[in-house]
Amino acid sequence: MNERIVVGAALYDDGRLLAARRSAPPELAGGWELPGGKVEPGERCEDALARELREELGVEAEILERVPGQWPLAKGYALRVYRARLVSGVAEPLEDHDELRWLAPDQVWSVPWLAADVPAVTAALGQP
Ligand code: 9L3
Ligand code: MG
């Protein structure tokens, strides 16, 4: 069976974690997520994530280690998360998001994360 994988980034800069508010689709709009997207056929997860961060945020990021675990999404997809480090660029909501926030450690739970992202963020925080 084909694995339908969505990759998300626990993207850090200066100790802060990036949260992105979705603007689409309607059922997810307003929810906050770790930015990322679908892995294309034949694409490495790390390459897909770097591509998505370029497309969605306009930044270059170094993709670091995978956060252990995998979390179910709609339509048979599963979310995998990698820690990542901002290398260059200023993150902007170019695609699929209408707001970004860099969250200090004590602010991480100040946004309403999408349900699927709550366990993923929890797991990502477990690896400081
Ligand atoms: N999704 C959930 N949490 C995330 C990401 C990156 C994606 N952190 C869900 C939203 C969509 C699906 O995965 O239903 C595909 O994501 P995208 O390609 O629309 O970003
Ligand atoms: Mg996306």
Side-chain angles (χ1 to χ4, degrees), residues 45-118:
C45 288
E46 291 90 338
D47 294 341
L49 188 52
R51 172 182 57 71
E52 290 284 347
L53 298 179
R54 218 173 276 131
E55 292 172 358
E56 294 188 344
L57 308 172
V59 299
E60 292 299 322
E62 181 185 5
I63 310 303
L64 304 169
E65 72 277 11
R66 182 167 162 202
V67 174
Q70 179 165 296
W71 299 277
L73 297 169
K75 298 176 191 161
Y77 279 88
L79 176 64
R80 292 183 183 175
V81 172
Y82 290 77
R83 289 171 50 83
R85 180 181 73 81
L86 185 70
V87 172
S88 64
V90 176
E92 290 182 83
L94 302 178
E95 214 180 79
D96 295 340
H97 301 119
D98 60 6
E99 193 180 335
L100 303 178
R101 276 188 209 164
W102 288 100
L103 302 172
D106 66 345
Q107 298 171 326
V108 167
W109 301 109
S110 66
V111 299
W113 295 98
L114 292 176
D117 284 55
V118 170

Side-chain angles (χ1 to χ4, degrees), residues 7-25:
V7 284
L11 177 62
Y12 282 89
D13 185 34
D14 201 17
R16 293 180 305 160
L17 173 69
L18 187 69
R21 189 171 69 183
R22 287 194 73 106
S23 54

